[in-house]
Every structure is written in C-alpha cells, then in structure tokens.
Amino acid sequence: MKFQPIRVAVLVSGGGTNLQAILDYEKDGKLTDGEIKLVISSKAGVKALERAENYEVKNAVVERKGKTQEEFEQGIIELLEENQIEVIVLAGFMCILSKNFTDRYVERIINVHPSLIPSFCGEGFYGLKVHEKALEYGVKVTGATVHFVNEIPDGGKIIMQKAVKIKKGDTPLSLQKRVMEEAEWQILPQALNQVCQTIRKEK
Ligand code: GAR
C-alpha cells in the first residue's frame, strides 16, 4: 500500500526562491516523503505567492502588519489546522515566532538561514544583512544552515549545513546569490525530505 506523504506548509514573506527550490524538488519527484499542501505569506502581493499559484498550491496571506503577535500566530495556526499540516518550513519568513507557537510544533518547524550557524545569526541577522556582516568580519567561508525552530531565534538543533567560499571582490549581493544557489536551494529541500522521512517512520 502506498503511504501517505507528510503534509507540509511553507511560510514566506517575499521573493520565495527557496519556496521555488522546494516546489521544483517536488515536481522532479524527489520529495518522496512529503507534499506541499499550503503556502502562507506574511505579506500580500509578494512573488512567493505567484510561485505557489503557478504550481497550483493552495495559498493564503496572514498579514503581520496591524496585528498583535498572538492574533498573527492564531491566524496561521487556524490555517495549519484546517489543512492538517504536519511540518512547517520557514523559507524567507521574516517574522519571529513566539514560544507559544514553537512549543506546539516541536521538531516540526524548519528554517533556512544564510550563514553557518552559530556565526552571523540570531535577532537582527536576516537577508542581506547576514552577508554584509560576514564580509565585514572577513570570514573566508560562509554558507547556509537548515535547523529546527524553537523559541530562540536561529537557536534550534541543526539539521544540515553547506559551506560556500568567499571570493575576492564579493559584495553582499553577489555572496547572497552564491549562498542561495550553492547552498540554500540544495539543502533546504533535502533537509525537508529527511525530516518528513523521519516523521513518517515514527508514525
Ligand atoms: C534567504 O536567503 C533566506 O535564507 C533568508 O532570506 C532569504 C529569503 O529569500 N532568511 C533569513 O535571513 C532568515 N533569518 P527567498 O524569499 O528568495 O527564499
């Protein structure tokens, strides 16, 4: 009998290139143990929603703006429950989740961060800023990390990492692009499948 794939939601806030990498991985038949059932954006009108539409994945907006943390998280929880979501991927999701939220989904939320944790991570380190700080410090190697999400920003258990070398003349933008291409878009879908596989075996 064919098993039921793990039901996955992806939370986004912007461009959604990491979401795209997951959708492509699924389309190529490599997401063997999961299925992308829902995309939730914290902002309306972003490119990530267009990507979900193009792949005919159910999508919704829960605006962060104008809500308390509790109201915002409640809006997300309702959608996750309605869609029986088992695993949540934060893919360029630029909002902090409270302990109240993360405690509901212990080792069920994964995040991709554009550095080798524990370097250049935690509160205030997101997007281009991470690469600016890495270049400013002068590290020779950076990369990306996929980790479980708990109440500490970028503080959960590491699932997968990949290193990327800094090149002479790198700018925050060139480095961001290379870290995405060489690391994030590869390890995020792989780590997701690995987590789905583990959950499926535990079921
Ligand atoms: C990615 O580089 C992701 O790792 C980073 O934001 C970018 C989003 O791009 N996330 C963080 O910095 C979280 N701390 P995307 O929307 O194209 O996937």
Side-chain angles (χ1 to χ4, degrees):
M1 198 183 82
K2 185 159 173 6
F3 62 82
Q4 286 289 321
I6 300 298
R7 300 174 67 86
V8 178
V10 185
L11 271 52
V12 295
S13 301
T17 63
N18 278 289
L19 166 66
Q20 188 68 53
I22 296 170
L23 293 171
D24 290 341
Y25 196 80
E26 182 177 41
K27 188 169 149 240
D28 292 345
K30 295 185 197 155
L31 193 62
T32 54
D33 290 60
E35 206 175 330
I36 311 305
K37 289 291 187 188
L38 179 66
V39 170
I40 303 176
S41 174
S42 63
K43 272 191 203 153
V46 295
K47 175 96 179 157
L49 288 166
E50 224 176 273
R51 297 180 194 271
E53 275 294 312
N54 290 343
Y55 274 64
E56 292 173 0
V57 174
K58 192 168 169 183
N59 56 87
V61 177
V62 179
E63 285 276 4
R64 177 66 189 90
K65 246 188 174 161
K67 290 194 187 78
T68 63
Q69 181 77 18
E70 207 182 330
E71 287 164 348
F72 174 59
E73 291 182 353
Q74 196 47 43
I76 295 175
I77 290 168
E78 274 165 26
L79 283 169
L80 296 175
E81 289 186 346
E82 255 170 53
N83 291 279
Q84 296 145 45
I85 298 301
E86 298 165 280
V87 167
I88 303 157
V89 183
L90 309 185
F93 182 65
M94 298 302 178
C95 307
I96 300 272
L97 294 168
S98 72
K99 179 168 162 56
N100 182 41
F101 187 100
T102 57
D103 278 357
R104 274 175 177 260
Y105 300 98
V106 175
E107 300 210 346
R108 293 289 184 274
I109 313 174
I110 70 172
N111 177 50
V112 62
H113 182 77
S115 76
L116 293 174
I117 290 176
S119 289
F120 313 112
C121 64
E123 233 169 310
F125 285 90
Y126 56 86
L128 208 55
K129 213 166 268 182
V130 179
H131 304 293
E132 280 168 13
K133 293 286 176 196
L135 288 175
E136 215 174 275
Y137 197 95
V139 290
K140 302 294 177 203
V141 175
T142 184
T145 304
V146 179
H147 63 92
F148 285 117
V149 174
N150 62 13
E151 72 278 11
I152 304 157
D154 300 321
K157 199 163 103 188
I158 290 172
I159 304 166
M160 222 176 257
Q161 288 188 304
K162 188 157 183 238
V164 173
K165 280 188 188 158
I166 309 279
K167 284 186 182 165
K168 213 171 152 210
D170 256 333
T171 63
L173 266 177
S174 70
L175 187 57
Q176 180 183 50
K177 185 167 178 282
R178 231 174 40 259
V179 168
M180 281 177 159
E181 286 169 358
E182 293 179 15
E184 295 184 50
W185 301 342
Q186 296 182 24
I187 64 171
L188 181 60
Q190 283 173 21
L192 170 61
N193 201 44
Q194 185 180 300
V195 168
C196 289
Q197 223 160 42
T198 307
I199 297 172
R200 200 174 60 71
K201 283 181 186 152
E202 283 167 7
K203 264 184 160 183

